[in-house]
Amino acid sequence: MRALNLYGVQDIRFEDNTPVPVIENDDDVIIKVKSVGICGSDISRYKKLGPYVEGMTFGHEFAGEVTEVGPGVEGIKIGDRVAGCPAFVCGECESCRRGEPAQCEKLTVIGARHPGAYAEYTKLPASHVIALPDNVDYDTASLVEPSSVVAHGFYRTSIQPGAEVAIMGVGSIGLLAVQWAKIFGAKKVYAIDIDDKKLQIAKELGADVVINSLEKLAHEQMMEHTNGRGVDLAVESAGSPITSAQVFALPRKGGEVVFMGIPYADINIARFYFEKIVRNELTVYGSWNAISAPFPGKEWTSTVHYMSTGQINVKPMISHRLSLQEGPEVFQKVINREIDSVKVIFHPEDTEITRQLNEEVVTAG
């Protein structure tokens, strides 16, 4: 089958002879991948970390159609439209036993040590399969996983209806956070970034105030908007060493910060920002992955529900829809900043030639 396989740092290959997954366990479900997105963590692993296993089929944010089920599977049938929770936990460590699977000592995901979803087909246990309502299309459902990551972070906080929330960094995670903040009852959401295009999308998706931190330091603008008070909750979703320090200056006294971004670099915090934690008695949360007990957690069912109601809208976030064949080129272009991307989606059923022909037909029509 066609797949994108990661062999090394900046070495991802389109191959058309990757083995098709087969039923091996009673609870196995084979899924034909209809739509799969590039995660920010995929970019980091491609750019500088490399694969866990050389030649592993990459990718973990996906949705598709069930094509085969193991003999022990109940409640899932061939033809079902589904998304997949890509995370695997051991179920035996202390964290798993106390009902905190996101803190599992051996947590991993497909695309790392299990074949991933940048492929025509992928495989998951039935317990990882999430049914989709008819009004949630595959492109939308490919963002169930990142949306669940964001939901997991919000569930960790004490946000209450009427809160004011700042989202620092409005890439795909931040744009989802803008919407989740509203779902959790925020009366005002501030979106902060250095990219006016992304800030415009944030506005479209519900941000009340947008702040370009290139114009003036984010916390200075924030204090102007909040009369010196600050926000109840600040979300760090840029994954930048710089914003990972600056975010501490955004909350009010006694406020909260939740980290959803992963900087993949050392963070040096200037005294001004660090003292905000102490002097303002901030509560700081780390948030990892998207799972809770009972597995995979309320993050997943809530995401699908709010996608079905339209309260989570990912369409403005999807900047590119491509074939798998275009994968190696687009990964290189993303890290070289040669394309202006927010969320890149692959359609494994499409070949580059087929996609071009379809575009020609649409243009001619």
Side-chain angles (χ1 to χ4, degrees), residues 154-167:
F154 273 98
Y155 279 122
R156 289 185 58 74
T157 72
S158 63
I159 182 174
Q160 299 290 318
E164 295 195 5
V165 178
I167 312 298

Side-chain angles (χ1 to χ4, degrees), residues 127-321:
S127 58
H128 295 232
V129 176
I130 295 96
L132 298 175
D134 291 340
N135 67 338
V136 176
D137 62 83
Y138 287 123
D139 280 359
T140 296
S142 69
L143 275 80
V144 167
E145 193 271 350
S147 175
S148 299
V149 167
V150 175
H152 183 78
F154 273 98
Y155 279 122
R156 289 185 58 74
T157 72
S158 63
I159 182 174
Q160 299 290 318
E164 295 195 5
V165 178
I167 312 298
M168 183 158 248
V170 286
S172 56
I173 293 296
L175 291 170
L176 288 163
V178 167
Q179 298 175 78
W180 272 109
K182 290 289 188 177
I183 290 168
F184 270 79
K187 70 177 180 182
K188 185 172 285 189
V189 176
Y190 302 85
I192 304 166
D193 206 288
I194 59 174
D195 185 329
D196 284 332
K197 178 181 177 181
K198 290 178 180 176
L199 288 171
Q200 182 56 45
I201 298 172
K203 190 78 171 177
E204 182 181 347
L205 293 175
D208 300 285
V209 178
V210 296
I211 293 172
N212 188 319
S213 54
L214 285 178
E215 299 170 0
K216 190 177 184 180
L217 287 172
H219 72 273
E220 293 179 356
Q221 295 187 63
M222 180 63 63
M223 294 308 158
E224 291 172 1
H225 285 290
T226 60
N227 295 319
R229 176 180 182 272
V231 294
D232 300 288
L233 171 66
V235 177
E236 202 299 306
S237 49
S240 158
I242 296 172
T243 57
S244 294
Q246 293 176 340
V247 70
F248 294 120
L250 301 178
R252 61 170 172 78
K253 290 182 180 293
E256 298 180 335
V257 175
V258 60
F259 280 86
M260 297 184 191
I262 306 172
Y264 292 105
D266 292 339
I267 300 170
N268 297 307
I269 305 178
R271 177 181 173 181
F272 171 81
Y273 294 112
F274 186 83
E275 284 194 345
K276 296 295 183 182
I277 305 172
V278 179
R279 293 179 182 275
N280 289 349
E281 295 195 324
L282 303 180
T283 301
V284 181
Y285 300 93
S287 181
W288 181 241
N289 211 275
I291 50 177
S292 61
F295 185 91
K298 58 184 177 291
E299 297 90 338
W300 300 82
T301 52
S302 295
T303 281
V304 171
H305 169 74
Y306 288 114
M307 284 180 169
S308 71
T309 64
Q311 289 165 272
I312 296 176
N313 175 19
V314 304
K315 293 297 175 62
M317 298 166 50
I318 299 174
S319 56
H320 296 76
R321 294 176 173 85

Side-chain angles (χ1 to χ4, degrees), residues 325-354:
Q325 286 170 281
E326 297 166 277
E329 180 183 8
V330 77
F331 267 89
Q332 196 62 35
K333 285 184 175 180
V334 168
I335 68 167
N336 290 334
R337 301 184 183 277
E338 295 173 6
I339 61 172
D340 189 8
S341 62
V342 180
K343 195 68 180 178
V344 176
I345 297 291
F346 293 117
H347 292 157
E349 288 183 303
D350 295 344
T351 65
E352 188 172 4
I353 293 173
T354 300

Side-chain angles (χ1 to χ4, degrees), residues 54-190:
E54 184 179 352
M56 179 60 68
T57 300
F58 210 22
H60 60 270
E61 300 179 357
F62 80 99
E65 179 185 333
V66 174
T67 58
E68 192 175 355
V69 298
V73 173
E74 298 179 356
I76 302 169
K77 64 183 185 303
I78 294 172
D80 281 355
R81 303 171 64 258
V82 298
C85 171
F88 287 81
V89 297
C90 72
E92 299 174 355
C93 68
E94 180 182 349
S95 297
C96 285
R97 291 198 306 271
R98 69 167 181 261
E100 298 287 356
Q103 299 169 23
C104 174
E105 298 290 342
K106 298 180 180 179
L107 189 149
T108 189
V109 297
I110 61 171
R113 295 182 174 88
H114 301 74
Y118 291 152
E120 293 181 85
Y121 296 90
T122 194
K123 178 173 70 174
L124 282 174
S127 58
H128 295 232
V129 176
I130 295 96
L132 298 175
D134 291 340
N135 67 338
V136 176
D137 62 83
Y138 287 123
D139 280 359
T140 296
S142 69
L143 275 80
V144 167
E145 193 271 350
S147 175
S148 299
V149 167
V150 175
H152 183 78
F154 273 98
Y155 279 122
R156 289 185 58 74
T157 72
S158 63
I159 182 174
Q160 299 290 318
E164 295 195 5
V165 178
I167 312 298
M168 183 158 248
V170 286
S172 56
I173 293 296
L175 291 170
L176 288 163
V178 167
Q179 298 175 78
W180 272 109
K182 290 289 188 177
I183 290 168
F184 270 79
K187 70 177 180 182
K188 185 172 285 189
V189 176
Y190 302 85

